Amino acid sequence: MTILKSIIYGIVQGLAEFLPISSSGHLAILHALLGGEENLSFDVLLHLGTLVAVLIVYRKDVATLIVSFFTLIGKLFRGNFRYSTYSEGERFVILVLIATLPLIPGALLDHYVEAVSGSMLAVGIILIVNSAMLYASDKIKPGDRGLAEMKPKNALVIGLSQLIAVFPGLSRSGTTVTAGLTQKLDRPFAVKFSFIMSIPAILGACVLKLPEFVTTVGSEDPALLLTYLAGALAAGIVGVAAMKLLQFIAKNRNFRIFSVYSLAAGIFAIILNFILK
């Protein structure tokens, strides 16, 4: 892989991971266009790049969550299990953990996810479904719930939507934000919660791949790893910009432009499927 190709993959990952257009769907299309075999080292580094982007944009929230996690553990050890007595930060930790729980059985879907990734027809159809979902999300009247009003059951619904979004073509951010709107969250907080709940999701995916990643890295050419790092850096930088853009759009615009784009990308993937046959 050349540095240019690595950077292209990184740019697409950074944009599509946080904008509601599906990074996995776009990477599947890009892989079909550019060719080459999938590489675990590169995949993990791209995801780490987007993880760093989230940590940069939400560094204050993450710092608060880390402190709140340990204070929450302390309260649990002292036998305090009353949700109403927890601080706002401690409740945020609980909500993120609840939203992450549905991903645990998601590992059982890996075989099906890989099968879908290898089919441009399937990816195209799911991108069109993503388009319809984004269009529908603009019809949902947002509520006024923020962190103080959000309940564990709301987090569970959003977490279940994240599980569905493991399939390429269905945007994780778009799906979770839409689910948040159905739970009457206000749009800016729905976006914020979507991004922050991606931290354990991305970190967990990387940890699961860590043993194989270490083995793969050992067999890689050091120069090639530097090429991969260029892609990860691109993913991180573009990811920060993409998050800022979605934050702005959530406050001032709707998702219609992403719905139209996702529809066009889905049609393109379906056409590509027949061209490549």
Side-chain angles (χ1 to χ4, degrees):
M1 180 181 291
T2 64
I3 289 182
L4 177 60
K5 186 182 287 188
S6 174
I7 291 174
I8 291 173
Y9 272 102
I11 290 172
V12 170
Q13 169 71 17
L15 281 173
E17 178 69 28
F18 301 113
L19 298 181
I21 55 177
S22 176
S23 62
S24 55
H26 278 71
L27 288 177
I29 293 173
L30 197 59
H31 181 70
L33 289 172
L34 299 181
E37 297 181 359
E38 294 184 9
N39 186 290
L40 179 67
S41 309
F42 188 48
D43 181 55
V44 171
L45 288 174
L46 283 182
H47 281 86
L48 287 176
T50 51
L51 175 62
V52 170
V54 180
L55 296 177
I56 290 173
V57 173
Y58 289 103
R59 56 192 178 278
K60 292 182 180 178
D61 293 282
V62 171
T64 299
L65 286 172
I66 291 172
V67 173
S68 297
F69 174 78
F70 287 106
T71 59
L72 175 62
I73 294 297
K75 288 182 178 180
L76 292 174
F77 270 110
R78 290 194 297 272
N80 182 356
F81 300 104
R82 290 183 296 171
Y83 185 77
S84 61
T85 64
Y86 298 150
S87 69
E88 192 171 85
E90 290 163 350
R91 291 198 299 272
F92 204 169
V93 170
I94 291 173
L95 293 171
V96 170
L97 291 176
I98 290 173
T100 305
L101 285 176
L103 287 180
I104 295 175
L108 301 174
L109 300 175
D110 275 355
H111 175 73
Y112 301 101
V113 172
E114 289 177 7
V116 171
S117 298
S119 169
M120 281 296 96
L121 179 60
V123 170
I125 291 172
I126 298 176
L127 277 166
I128 293 173
V129 171
N130 188 66
S131 171
M133 178 194 67
L134 294 176
Y135 180 82
S137 74
D138 283 338
K139 304 299 180 182
I140 300 172
K141 185 178 179 180
D144 56 1
R145 288 180 180 171
L147 177 57
E149 298 80 20
M150 189 175 177
K151 306 297 182 185
K153 64 180 181 180
N154 305 134
L156 182 59
V157 170
I158 298 172
L160 289 169
S161 75
Q162 183 173 230
L163 174 61
I164 298 170
V166 298
F167 288 96
L170 199 58
S171 164
R172 193 207 65 81
S173 62
T175 304
T176 53
V177 169
T178 300
L181 295 177
T182 67
Q183 300 305 296
K184 300 304 178 183
L185 302 186
D186 69 63
R187 290 177 72 93
F189 181 69
V191 170
K192 179 179 181 178
F193 189 75
S194 171
F195 286 156
I196 289 182
M197 68 184 279
S198 74
I199 295 174
I202 297 173
L203 189 59
C206 291
V207 168
L208 287 175
K209 295 177 180 177
L210 190 59
E212 190 179 348
F213 170 70
V214 172
T215 302
T216 306
V217 166
S219 63
E220 297 284 4
D221 180 347
L224 190 57
L225 287 176
L226 290 176
T227 299
Y228 294 162
L229 286 172
L233 180 61
I237 293 172
V238 174
V240 169
M243 278 189 283
K244 293 291 186 181
L245 175 61
L246 193 62
Q247 287 174 333
F248 172 79
I249 291 174
K251 290 180 180 178
N252 303 281
R253 300 284 188 277
N254 55 39
F255 285 170
R256 190 167 303 161
I257 186 172
F258 298 118
S259 175
V260 173
Y261 173 82
S262 192
L263 175 62
I267 294 172
F268 175 77
I270 292 172
I271 293 173
L272 187 61
N273 171 74
F274 293 105
I275 292 175
L276 295 177
K277 276 191 172 180

